[in-house]
Amino acid sequence: MERKFNDQELYRRKKLQNLVDKNNDPFLIDKFDRTHNSATFKEEFDKFEKEQLHDNTTEIKIAGRVLALRQSFGVIKDFNGKVQFYINKKNENAWDVFTNYLDIGDIVGIKGTPMKTNTGEVTVKVGEITILSKSLKVLPEKFHGLVNEEERARQRYVDLIINDNSLSTFVIRSQLANVWRNYLCNEQQFLEVDTPVLQSIYGGASAKPFITHHNALNADLYLRIAPELPLKKLIVGGFEKVFEFSRNFRNEGVDTTHNPEFTGFELYWAFVSLKEIMDLTEKMFKISAKFLNKDVYKFRGYDIDLSKPFIRKSMIEIIKEACGVDFEKINTDEEALEIAKQHHIDLLPHQKIRGHIIVAFFEKYGEETCIQPTFVHTYPVESSPLTKKNAKDSRYVDRFELFIGTKEFANAYSELNDPIEQLQRFEEQVAESEKSKGNDSYEGWSSEIDMDFINAMEYGLPPTGGLGIGFDRFCMLMCEKDSIRDVLLFPQMKHEK
């Protein structure tokens, strides 16, 4: 394939060829032993005055990407930060590299000694500089390049180079996952496990799957939409506290809070009720805020305070407060349909029953009121096919969702453990799925029943609390990002024309 290069790219390639001709091909160098990174260098020598470093002969070996060049100075960046270097013109070899071969974007190794400039900036005085990798592309200007969100997502590698905030976001993301791991494994004695990504029957959520084909088995397989059913099989098998950070895949739309490939977090805890799961969820959010040493977070235009107790209200209570409709007084499908018509609630064919109408009212009126962290609990049974019925009112299930800034962050159940009822609910799902075929707006459950899961349940699933959290959306909150693309290293994008 013939490629066209601009003048600056051609000039850099010429410099590279000149290095090769002088037997200094940077791409043949396989390592550079460092004594310091930018952080440890500053930590060790910033405490000294300029005069104290004047005759300091400590050998510094440091490496990084060149971000700036001016007169006799340059700046390199490594993972830990930035550091300035200085080259004296009398150092002929280093000066030759500096003036004839070095470009912004190159990765270099520097050997030298510590010094301070007249402005008090701790600096490496270069004795020897080696180009370790030649940048054949020109980096965008810091304040004018890659300002477009889509461009930054497409070229994340460039975004990370020039945008310190972006790099910091993904460091925080990794740290937050470890905060949860440390808390759950070390303080709560949970075990982290892995479950299959390829599944013969998809389930555990309501979503459209990606389908692939396994040649050796001559069988269609699905990329998992959720790890719920395999994780509950582990509870049947005797595990009592398990969790998984899972890569999930849903063949659906892309927007500021959804990506077809995403990281989910699911947790199951045997012998506890939904209250313990709710308490644990709140604790996980609060320890994350404590780790970041911050209480209030900007999210989608709201100031979210994670220091206060999370609000806990039933779905019906929130609907009544939001629009005045009291579903405690609406007991039949006919009454619910009539009130839905009065409020212009759009319903799919399978939704014309009281339970689905309650959820539709909440989605229209209730969600927008859930700004500060709010546990919405007590859901209609029709909306939750994997959830245990409420012992006091069988029209509802023991389930909660955590809403923050009007968006759902967590979904939790007191898991249904009656295999007879579970099979019946699966059969009802299949019927609903068949009824709604051809409706593009319907995102149904699998039309195939996972009989192996039913078989596992028939051996006995103990009372269990389950929790699912969209980890990407959680990172959006904690990193104060309004688009999921900003917390995914490589989000799914439309092909460029």
Side-chain angles (χ1 to χ4, degrees), residues 2 89 144 150 195 278 293 304 307 316 337 427 449:
E2 185 178 354
K89 293 181 181 180
H144 299 95
E150 183 167 322
T195 60
M278 196 179 289
N293 197 28
I304 307 300
S307 67
I316 285 178
L337 269 172
E427 289 171 341
I449 296 173

Side-chain angles (χ1 to χ4, degrees), residues 132-167:
L132 304 174
S133 182
K134 186 68 184 167
S135 177
L136 303 180
K137 290 283 190 181
V138 180
L139 288 177
E141 293 180 59
K142 181 177 180 181
F143 297 106
H144 299 95
L146 286 188
V147 294
N148 178 273
E149 177 193 317
E150 183 167 322
E151 191 176 1
R152 289 192 293 112
R154 286 189 189 279
Q155 299 187 50
R156 183 66 74 202
Y157 41 90
V158 181
D159 180 41
L160 294 171
I161 292 171
I162 64 175
N163 187 349
D164 292 342
N165 182 263
S166 183
L167 181 65

Side-chain angles (χ1 to χ4, degrees), residues 84-122:
Q84 182 172 259
F85 66 88
Y86 163 76
I87 297 181
N88 192 313
K89 293 181 181 180
K90 295 178 181 179
N91 184 340
E92 294 182 2
N93 289 336
W95 187 253
D96 178 53
V97 173
F98 184 72
T99 54
N100 295 317
Y101 301 100
L102 197 61
D103 289 302
I104 291 175
D106 291 351
I107 297 172
V108 299
I110 294 173
K111 296 179 183 178
T113 55
M115 61 168 280
K116 269 195 172 180
T117 63
N118 291 332
T119 59
E121 183 170 355
V122 64

Side-chain angles (χ1 to χ4, degrees), residues 150 153-154 253-254 259-260 485 491-497:
E150 183 167 322
R154 286 189 189 279
V254 177
N259 193 68
R485 288 177 177 175
Q492 194 65 38
M493 308 288 291
K494 289 183 180 179
H495 289 296
E496 289 184 285
K497 293 182 180 179

Side-chain angles (χ1 to χ4, degrees), residues 16 24-30 131-136:
L16 172 62
N24 289 324
D25 187 345
F27 298 121
L28 293 181
I29 299 172
D30 64 351
I131 299 177
L132 304 174
S133 182
K134 186 68 184 167
S135 177
L136 303 180

